[in-house]
Amino acid sequence: MKSWISFLLPDDEYKEKKMLYFFTEGAIILFLSLIVMMICNKFFNLDTETVLLAAIAIFLFYVTGRYILAGMEYTDIATKHAYKKELRVICIRTIGFVIIFMALYLIFINIPSSLNNWVEILGLLISVSVVSFLSSYISLKRSYKKNKELL
Amino acid sequence: MKNNVKITRIKNSMTQEQLARQVGVTRQTIGLIEKGEYNPSLQLCINLAKSLNKTLDELFWEVDTQ
C-alpha cells in the first residue's frame, strides 16, 4: 500500500503494522486530549504555548512509550551473550554522547563561567543521557524477554 | 493462526534467522508467526512457502482432526 507515511515505517511487516497502530492510537488520544483542553479552556485560561506543547508531548510520549514497551526494537537479541553485548553498546553510546556533547559545547558555545552555569549544563546533559539510557535499556530488556519466548 | 512453519523449518535444517533473511523480515516476526501470534500477509505466506519448498496448504491450512 502506498502512502506518504511509508518513509517513517519499518520494512518488516509486523513492525510496520504495530507502528501504524501506535500512530493511530496516539492520534486518537491527541484528538481526545485536545477536546478536553478545549472544554477546560472555557473554565480556566489556558496558555496557547502550553496547549501546543502538551499536545506534542502527549503524542510523542505515547508513541515512543508504546514502541519501547512493545519490545520490538532489538529483534535479534535472543541470547544472554547478545543481550550483554547490546547492553555494552548502549552504555558506550550514552557515554560517547555525553563526551561529544560536552566537547562540542565547550568548543562552539562557551566554557561555563559560574558554578550555576556548570550545574545547568551538566544537569541538562545528565538528564538527557539518563532518559536516553533508560529508554534503550527498557526496550532492550523487553525485546530480549519477548525474543527468548519466541525461540 | 496454527501453522506448520516451525516444523517445516526444522525439517529443512534452517534457523529462524536464515529464514527471516530469505523472506525479508526480522527473526522476531518469524518467531511470532511460528507461535501463531501474528498472521502474516499473503505475500509473506507465499515467500515463506517458496523458501521452505512447500505449498500454502501444507504450511497454513488447518485440518480439523475431530
Side-chain angles (χ1 to χ4, degrees):
Chain A
M1 203 175 290
K2 280 183 184 165
S3 161
W4 63 265
I5 197 110
S6 298
F7 79 98
L8 275 179
L9 298 171
D11 291 331
D12 179 73
E13 68 167 56
Y14 168 74
K15 279 179 100 171
E16 182 190 36
K17 201 172 175 185
K18 281 285 224 183
M19 284 310 294
L20 283 174
Y21 274 113
F22 299 159
F23 283 135
T24 314
E25 288 169 4
I28 288 171
I29 288 173
L30 174 63
F31 173 71
L32 293 175
S33 61
L34 285 174
I35 290 175
V36 170
M37 280 191 265
M38 209 168 76
I39 294 165
C40 287
N41 198 35
K42 300 260 180 221
F43 304 103
F44 328 99
N45 194 17
L46 289 176
D47 182 23
T48 317
E49 203 174 321
T50 315
V51 172
L52 289 174
L53 211 66
I56 295 169
I58 286 168
F59 184 77
L60 276 184
F61 277 119
Y62 184 83
V63 175
T64 315
R66 287 281 277 146
Y67 180 70
I68 289 168
L69 294 176
M72 55 186 219
E73 190 175 359
Y74 301 91
T75 49
D76 291 327
I77 308 297
T79 60
K80 190 91 186 161
H81 175 72
Y83 170 75
K84 283 188 174 170
K85 199 175 161 191
E86 195 58 44
L87 192 58
R88 233 182 354 255
V89 170
I90 292 171
C91 289
I92 292 168
R93 203 170 55 205
T94 309
I95 294 165
F97 167 74
V98 171
I99 293 169
I100 290 167
F101 181 89
M102 206 60 220
L104 290 177
Y105 185 87
L106 294 176
I107 293 166
F108 293 108
I109 314 277
N110 65 351
I111 297 170
S113 51
S114 65
L115 185 67
N116 265 356
N117 288 351
W118 273 107
V119 171
E120 210 171 89
I121 187 69
L122 285 178
L124 175 75
L125 185 56
I126 290 167
S127 313
V128 171
S129 307
V130 167
V131 169
S132 156
F133 176 79
L134 277 181
S135 59
S136 298
Y137 175 71
I138 293 167
S139 182
L140 176 65
K141 193 128 185 132
R142 302 279 296 197
S143 300
Y144 174 49
K145 190 171 173 265
K146 187 173 181 175
N147 293 336
K148 226 169 36 171
E149 287 164 6
L150 295 173
L151 274 180
Chain B
M1 179 177 72
K2 271 195 226 167
N3 59 68
N4 298 318
V5 174
K6 187 172 186 172
I7 194 123
T8 315
R9 175 179 63 76
I10 292 167
K11 276 182 188 165
N12 283 352
S13 311
M14 282 173 97
T15 63
Q16 282 184 339
E17 203 171 352
Q18 286 167 334
L19 181 59
R21 212 174 305 129
Q22 274 194 22
V23 298
V25 295
T26 62
R27 182 161 84 177
Q28 193 178 63
T29 303
I30 297 294
L32 288 161
I33 293 168
E34 286 180 352
K35 271 215 156 185
E37 288 175 20
Y38 171 65
N39 291 335
S41 66
L42 183 57
Q43 186 56 58
L44 183 51
C45 289
I46 293 169
N47 291 346
L48 285 169
K50 279 181 181 169
S51 288
L52 296 169
N53 296 314
K54 292 279 175 190
T55 63
L56 286 176
D57 273 8
E58 286 169 321
L59 281 184
F60 297 104
W61 193 255
E62 268 185 75
V63 179
D64 200 353
T65 50
Q66 283 182 344

